[in-house]
Amino acid sequence: MVPLLRVEKVNKAFGTNHVLRDVSLDVHAGQVQCVIGPSGSGKSTLLRCVNRLEVPDSGHVYLDGQPMGYRWKGDTLREMTSSQLAVQRRQMGMVFQGFHLFPHRRVIENVIEGPVVVGGVGRATARERAMELLSKVGLADKAEAYPDSLSGGQQQRVAIARSLAMRPKLMLFDEPTSALDPELVGDVLAVMRDLADEGMTMVVVTHEMGFARDVADHVVFMDGGCVVEAGPPGHIFGAPEHERTRSFLARVL
Amino acid sequence: MTIAGSPADQAAQDGGFRSAEGVRKVPLRHPWWWVGGALLILIIGMFAQLLVTNRNMDWSTVLEYLFNGEILKGLLRTLELTVLAMVIGLALGILLAVMRLSANPLFRAVSWLWLWFFRGVPPLVQMVFWFNLATLLPKLKLGVPYGPVFASWDTNTVISAFTAAILGLSLTESAYAAEMIRAGIQAVSKGQTEAALSIGMSRFQVMRRVVLPQALRIVVPPIGNDLISMLKFTSLVSVLATPDLLYSAQMIYSRNYKTIPLLLVATIWYLVLTTLLTVAQQQVEKRLKTTHPQTGAMKNVKRLRFLPSFGKA
């Protein structure tokens, strides 16, 4: 079976800082994979390479068997234009640590922006669907508010709704709760849990070990730009094989 | 020896600590404020006396011409020049700012050259130059370079004094606006671009829908400043015999020799206009300030017609 997402020997360096070293990863449809590891281990960069916000120095990312950022032309790969890449990106949503809602637009406008501007969906239809999504994340009553009047947790839930509005096949979460006050983390994790229960394919970079243990099908431990160890949560948390995994878990648990 | 119970006595008992409680305090005095103030009032008084008593001021003539048809027509022309030069300058400025931040080195270089040239050449020199363009290029042609010509015009009919004025003013403005807008674009966080890309926008959509609307709102205050400068710079067009406010006044005093009163008429109108613009600008800035410095700035400006609503289209 072709995995929904395949990361194949991806390398990325910023100057002399080699952030990703031959990272490979397969994510099958319906799976929830959590990527854990110390800060600076390359987790976020990996996610950004998947979405091609960063261009890998070598290696490839495949979505549905198609290489990200390239299209086949006979026996060669042609680099995509910005708008072709945009079409490909629509298939995956991304949630950022810093939310990045559009501050000049209301909550509802943030959510319909993608479908209307990019997806060509009519405003009325988009609004209806956006209201459904906002109810789902528990924020239907904030539809007409501006993002800066919401708490961090609320903003992050709107950001999730904004991504879902594009009906992605895959959701990427880049430390979605790291910028939140502790008491707001739970609401966001609950929304993500619901999403996982509905069968959404998710790759979650996180420091929430409880979430990784309970929700993930597969946990990836990264350190120093490499995947050190990967497997079912029971294995990673219960019987880690590598010393580095053990010492990391000892520090965070 | 001190009297028992006096503060000093108390201090002695407390081991040198002297309480300030209940003691009369003398505020710092500013004798020089009075001297300086008196001097200023004297100077202002002398100036007021000059305004009122100098017969060459001729206030009755000022009043007579303040609402003169020729003057009002000039006033309208001044406004027309200001608005047109500003709109063209801003549109070009946005283009130049985006080029300046482009990944394409040629775009960056051309933009840099443009800024260097049009910021360096005074608008007055430019205006005269544009007005005399016919000497350099007698005909303006539209067609394929080195190929067939589809249409051609006599340069002198295209470049009137008015067009020359607009060119000089708007090209200068474009250079200044470009720098401000570039700073505005750079002030919009990178996360905004990434979030927009992640929902599948193309680079062009990101710029038009997300970055520019925020950047332009950030630069509303400096652009307001530019608008006020522009209003005054339009007076340069009098050298091209374009009947703006100043030139209309000059035309009248060249006939009746009442130079000072007519210059006063122009001065009064310029002051009225800049005052109105300043008040408008302060209102805009107040609205910007009442919300978030960068983010919340957006919501209120939406209602203002201060800027053409780029990015809304």
Side-chain angles (χ1 to χ4, degrees):
Chain A
M1 192 172 85
V2 179
L4 178 59
L5 174 72
R6 166 166 283 177
V7 176
E8 193 179 71
K9 289 189 179 162
V10 163
N11 279 276
K12 179 73 189 176
F14 297 105
T16 56
N17 183 12
H18 207 146
V19 185
L20 293 177
R21 297 167 191 271
D22 280 336
V23 174
S24 297
L25 200 73
D26 273 4
V27 181
H28 291 277
Q31 257 192 341
V32 175
Q33 288 208 7
C34 283
V35 183
I36 60 170
S39 27
S41 59
K43 306 178 302 276
S44 290
T45 308
L46 172 64
L47 221 53
R48 295 164 60 80
C49 281
V50 167
N51 206 351
R52 223 175 159 74
L53 288 177
E54 301 288 353
V55 178
D57 296 337
S58 70
H60 295 99
V61 174
Y62 303 86
L63 185 69
D64 251 351
Q66 294 300 311
M68 280 294 290
Y70 296 93
R71 59 199 165 82
W72 287 104
K73 179 95 183 181
D75 285 338
T76 55
L77 285 172
R78 295 272 178 93
E79 193 177 345
M80 286 183 173
T81 64
S82 152
S83 29
Q84 288 167 335
L85 178 60
V87 173
Q88 210 176 20
R89 275 206 191 103
R90 280 168 217 171
Q91 303 177 62
M92 48 180 143
M94 183 151 179
V95 174
F96 301 85
Q97 184 178 346
F99 332 131
H100 304 323
L101 293 180
F102 306 133
H104 57 306
R105 297 187 190 279
R106 293 170 194 274
V107 163
I108 184 91
E109 293 166 338
N110 264 275
V111 181
I112 65 170
E113 181 77 4
V116 171
V117 175
V118 175
V121 178
R123 278 195 102 77
T125 324
R127 271 190 90 88
E128 228 170 273
R129 163 115 171 105
M131 284 311 295
E132 278 170 35
L133 287 168
L134 286 175
S135 313
K136 191 165 149 178
V137 300
L139 291 169
D141 57 322
K142 298 286 186 190
E144 298 300 324
Y146 278 93
D148 65 345
S149 67
L150 304 185
S151 74
Q154 291 171 331
Q155 289 191 45
Q156 192 61 297
R157 285 184 279 152
V158 173
I160 294 174
R162 177 176 66 179
S163 286
L164 291 177
M166 292 305 292
R167 300 181 187 277
K169 292 178 182 166
L170 168 70
M171 285 286 288
L172 307 173
F173 290 85
D174 185 7
E175 302 196 22
T177 58
S178 297
L180 299 178
D181 291 337
E183 77 270 22
L184 302 175
V185 170
D187 291 341
V188 172
L189 290 182
V191 167
M192 291 168 62
R193 224 175 263 259
D194 289 347
L195 210 54
D197 289 342
E198 286 168 23
M200 174 61 79
T201 313
M202 295 162 59
V203 180
V204 185
V205 168
T206 187
H207 291 294
E208 296 290 330
M209 294 304 147
F211 180 84
R213 196 193 331 233
D214 298 347
V215 183
D217 304 303
H218 198 79
V219 176
V220 177
F221 172 69
M222 285 183 71
D223 193 13
C226 305
V227 173
V228 176
E229 193 169 353
H235 171 74
I236 297 289
F237 291 105
E241 279 167 26
H242 287 263
E243 175 50 36
R244 278 197 284 179
T245 318
R246 276 197 289 274
S247 72
F248 171 72
L249 289 174
R251 267 180 286 133
V252 297
L253 287 178
Chain B
M1 277 303 282
T2 51
I3 305 152
S6 77
D9 188 49
Q10 197 67 39
Q13 280 176 20
D14 289 354
F17 178 81
R18 197 170 165 189
S19 170
E21 183 66 39
V23 180
R24 190 175 76 95
K25 298 184 190 83
V26 184
L28 180 63
R29 303 198 195 250
H30 302 278
W32 289 106
W33 286 13
W34 295 102
V35 178
L39 203 64
L40 280 177
I41 288 171
L42 179 71
I43 293 169
I44 293 168
M46 284 167 71
F47 183 67
Q49 190 193 12
L50 173 84
L51 283 184
V52 177
T53 59
N54 190 314
R55 289 184 49 212
N56 288 329
M57 287 285 180
D58 197 356
W59 288 104
S60 60
T61 310
V62 171
L63 270 177
E64 184 189 332
Y65 280 100
L66 196 55
F67 295 100
N68 172 289
E70 214 173 330
I71 291 285
L72 290 182
K73 250 166 91 183
L75 184 69
L76 210 66
R77 171 68 33 134
T78 289
L79 283 172
E80 197 182 347
L81 281 164
T82 308
V83 171
L84 214 59
M86 216 45 207
V87 168
I88 297 173
L90 279 178
L92 277 172
I94 291 172
L95 183 71
L96 288 163
V98 172
M99 281 172 70
R100 193 94 177 80
L101 295 170
S102 156
N104 184 331
L106 192 66
F107 283 3
R108 284 203 304 269
V110 169
S111 176
W112 183 88
L113 230 110
W114 181 289
L115 296 200
W116 169 77
F117 187 81
F118 287 107
R119 235 170 14 164
V121 183
L124 183 55
V125 177
Q126 274 190 59
M127 281 182 205
V128 180
F129 181 81
W130 288 116
F131 192 59
N132 292 297
L133 190 67
T135 323
L136 194 64
L137 303 166
K139 292 248 179 220
L140 294 177
K141 295 170 187 168
L142 185 71
V144 180
Y146 305 106
V149 173
F150 304 134
S152 100
W153 300 271
D154 196 4
T155 303
N156 272 332
T157 58
V158 179
I159 307 281
S160 63
F162 188 75
T163 3
I166 288 288
L167 278 171
L169 292 171
S170 62
L171 295 183
T172 306
E173 174 58 23
S174 76
Y176 284 96
E179 280 298 272
M180 289 187 290
I181 294 166
R182 179 179 62 87
I185 290 175
Q186 286 175 326
V188 177
S189 86
K190 235 182 101 206
Q192 289 290 311
T193 302
E194 295 185 343
L197 285 174
S198 83
I199 57 170
M201 287 194 191
S202 67
R203 290 253 159 222
F204 179 74
Q205 285 170 325
V206 173
M207 193 44 95
R208 196 174 64 88
R209 303 278 315 176
V210 177
V211 177
L212 273 184
Q214 293 184 57
L216 289 178
R217 281 157 181 153
I218 293 169
V219 296
V220 161
I223 298 261
N225 249 345
D226 260 29
L227 183 64
I228 292 171
S229 307
M230 178 62 83
L231 179 78
K232 291 175 292 174
F233 269 121
T234 55
S235 61
L236 293 174
V237 306
S238 56
V239 296
L240 301 181
T242 301
D244 73 322
L245 180 53
L246 176 61
Y247 192 71
S248 303
Q250 286 174 327
M251 295 259 279
I252 299 171
Y253 73 62
S254 67
R255 291 194 301 263
N256 64 11
Y257 303 107
K258 296 186 170 172
T259 309
I260 293 291
L262 277 146
L263 284 176
L264 278 174
V265 168
T267 304
I268 289 169
W269 277 119
Y270 280 119
L271 282 175
V272 166
L273 290 179
T274 48
T275 307
L276 287 177
L277 286 178
T278 308
V279 170
Q281 191 199 13
Q282 278 167 352
Q283 289 300 317
V284 174
E285 285 189 32
K286 222 165 86 187
R287 290 201 183 194
L288 289 174
K289 248 180 224 157
T290 50
T291 46
H292 252 227
Q294 202 214 80
T295 55
M298 323 323 175
K299 66 176 89 161
N300 288 322
V301 186
K302 211 170 224 177
R303 272 175 263 132
L304 299 168
R305 295 281 159 78
F306 197 69
L307 273 178
S309 52
F310 299 104
K312 243 188 181 178

